């Protein structure tokens, strides 16, 4: 069996309500999807995290390396793509392009072998995965606190047992927001904060100390992803667990983060950090450093399905009879691509999502929605 075709689709949805976080504003959601097709017509889907047109250019560059290869040789193809791009892409969007092809290959291999990706990864430890809601972005409104409180209460009412909110607008504003949301959702729902690297070390430390009484499960991306020493010092002094890694790439990048003991929780993005092949290696490295992995996930149902399969195989650390639950991020911000492009839809029940059971990733792209959202189609 050979790989016969690799297609890319840049899909876009203009947002009804633009939103922003500590770094910039989103007017639209845009993703590059990749379809890898075997000579018998079987296909797999992947996607890259990052600027979609740049991911597409990366896939165009890498595709000749995979075409004609055996689609079961997923790691061999990964190694070939990595070696060919290493001189230019020890980080960044070309790694996301590798990730997109790699995820499609795992989906394709699963379909060819008649097995879910979770089985190929080593076997699921659970049939349902705990998810946390990511939302509480900022919008232009006269009552931002009211908007955040309503949204947090909605997630709690939907059954989420953990919610992550955005911070990074400034310490006083952030404190008001986090206090209001904690008060609104009560003490039974986990709450996390994400600064998207908006703080200096001193600001982050000050903030961590001030929100400690609010029982915050982790503080995500407090400082610049380039500031490994800042991460390390913050982690040593912070009363709250530190999470990060969505801007980190490849095993070698995570070695920096892990060996310097920068984070309590590593958050590789499967669609950015190197695909399922490399994130499986990153999980192994994190395990050696007794660091739990909670993948970053901010894409379509393809990205989410890849996350579910990976997280279903994770054993949280340290091992014990009554273990904490492995967890996956579930973006709740406006995103029709995530909500309509793939079938079947994921359903939240009791703060968990059931694993897809069909071979491969267990999701397929709806051709009508693909045509509707593909740019230039
Ligand atoms: Ca984040």
């Amino acid at each position: 069996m050979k790989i016969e075709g690799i297609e890319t689709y840049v899909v876009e949805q203009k947002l009804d309500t633009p939103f922003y976080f500590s770094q910039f504003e989103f007017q639209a959601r845009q993703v590059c999807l990749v379809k890898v097709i075997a000579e018998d017509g079987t296909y797999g889907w992947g996607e890259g995290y990052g600027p979609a047109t740049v991911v597409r250019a990366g896939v165009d560059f890498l595709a000749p390396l995979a075409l004609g290869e055996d689609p079961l040789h997923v790691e061999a193809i990964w190694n070939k793509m990595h070696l060919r791009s290493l001189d230019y892409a020890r980080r960044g969007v070309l790694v996301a392009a590798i990730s997109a092809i790699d995820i499609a290959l795992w989906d394709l291999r699963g379909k060819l072998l008649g097995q879910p990706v979770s089985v190929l990864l080593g076997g699921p430890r659970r049939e349902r995965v705990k998810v946390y809601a990511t939302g509480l972005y900022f919008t232009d409104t006269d009552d931002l606190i009211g908007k955040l409180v309503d949204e947090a209460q909605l997630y709690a009412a939907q059954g989420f047992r953990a919610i992550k909110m955005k911070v990074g607008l400034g310490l006083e504003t952030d404190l008001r927001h986090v206090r209001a949301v904690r008060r609104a959702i009560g003490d039974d729902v986990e709450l996390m904060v994400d600064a998207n690297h908006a703080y200096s070390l001193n600001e982050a430390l000050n903030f961590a100390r001030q929100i400690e009484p609010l029982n915050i499960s982790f503080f995500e991306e407090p400082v610049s992803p380039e500031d490994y020493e800042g991460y390390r010092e913050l982690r040593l002094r912070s009363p709250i667990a530190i999470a990060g890694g969505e801007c980190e790439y490849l095993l070698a990048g995570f070695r920096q983060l892990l060996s310097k003991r920068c984070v309590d929780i590593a958050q590789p993005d499967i669609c950015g950090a190197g695909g399922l092949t490399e994130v499986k290696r990153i999980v192994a490295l994190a395990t050696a450093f007794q660091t739990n992995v909670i993948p970053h996930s901010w894409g379509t149902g393809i990205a989410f399905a890849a996350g579910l399969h990976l997280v279903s195989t994770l054993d949280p650390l340290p091992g014990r009879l009554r273990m904490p639950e492995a967890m996956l991020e579930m973006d709740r911000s406006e995103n029709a691509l995530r909500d309509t492009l793939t079938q079947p839809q994921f359903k939240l029940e009791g703060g968990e999502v059931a694993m897809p059971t069909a071979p491969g990733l267990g999701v397929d792209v709806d051709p009508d929605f693909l045509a509707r959202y593909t740019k230039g189609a």
Side-chain angles (χ1 to χ4, degrees), residues 125-132 159-162 188-190 192 217-218 264-266 291-295 307-308 310-329 348-354:
R125 301 279 278 127
R126 53 194 70 82
E127 293 174 354
R128 306 168 61 76
V129 169
K130 180 183 176 185
V131 291
Y132 73 82
F160 282 102
R161 289 178 283 138
D188 295 336
V189 179
E190 279 184 69
M192 293 85 87
S217 298
F218 62 74
D264 297 285
I265 296 155
T291 302
N292 278 307
V293 172
I294 301 178
L308 284 177
L310 181 87
V311 171
S312 78
T313 68
L314 299 182
D315 279 319
L317 303 165
R320 58 179 183 244
L321 181 61
R322 294 183 181 173
M323 291 204 294
E325 292 167 271
M327 190 162 63
L328 178 64
E329 175 166 26
L348 182 81
E349 285 171 282
E352 298 177 333
V353 172

Side-chain angles (χ1 to χ4, degrees), residues 131-148:
V131 291
Y132 73 82
T134 281
L136 293 92
Y137 285 80
F138 311 122
T139 52
D140 284 325
T141 163
D142 294 336
D143 182 17
L144 185 52
I145 286 196
K147 178 255 181 204
L148 295 174

Side-chain angles (χ1 to χ4, degrees), residues 131-309:
V131 291
Y132 73 82
T134 281
L136 293 92
Y137 285 80
F138 311 122
T139 52
D140 284 325
T141 163
D142 294 336
D143 182 17
L144 185 52
I145 286 196
K147 178 255 181 204
L148 295 174
V149 161
D150 289 349
E151 191 181 338
Q153 286 177 325
L154 172 71
Y155 297 145
Q158 287 171 341
F160 282 102
R161 289 178 283 138
I163 298 171
K164 189 173 78 189
M165 63 183 296
K166 292 291 171 185
V167 296
L169 295 183
L171 290 191
E172 289 311 313
T173 306
D174 291 342
L175 275 172
R176 275 200 303 277
H177 289 173
V178 181
R179 285 178 181 138
V181 167
R182 172 50 90 199
R183 206 177 305 124
I185 61 174
D187 295 327
D188 295 336
V189 179
E190 279 184 69
L191 183 61
M192 293 85 87
V193 297
D194 182 0
N196 293 94
H197 52 83
Y199 287 141
S200 68
L201 172 60
N202 278 337
E203 287 172 324
L205 188 56
N206 187 354
F207 187 62
R209 286 173 174 159
Q210 296 207 58
I211 58 174
E212 186 193 7
L214 300 172
N215 192 20
I216 303 299
S217 298
F218 62 74
F219 181 5
E220 176 172 320
E221 283 209 292
V223 297
S224 166
E226 305 288 10
D227 187 7
Y228 297 106
E229 295 305 323
Y231 258 104
R232 176 187 168 81
E233 188 174 340
L234 178 66
R235 181 177 168 269
L236 287 171
R237 298 169 69 187
S238 166
I240 296 172
I242 300 299
E246 73 181 70
C247 300
E248 198 59 81
Y249 294 86
L250 297 170
L251 192 60
F254 277 86
R255 185 182 63 178
Q256 294 279 321
L257 211 55
L258 292 161
S259 66
K260 292 183 164 67
R261 312 311 300 253
C262 295
V263 292
D264 297 285
I265 296 155
Q267 299 173 304
D269 189 306
I270 298 166
C271 302
L276 284 161
T277 297
E278 186 75 340
V279 172
K280 184 169 164 56
R281 298 169 180 154
I282 290 166
V283 168
L285 184 68
T287 303
F289 283 100
Q290 286 294 308
T291 302
N292 278 307
V293 172
I294 301 178
H296 175 261
S297 181
W298 214 71
T300 75
I302 299 167
F304 188 69
L308 284 177
H309 283 279

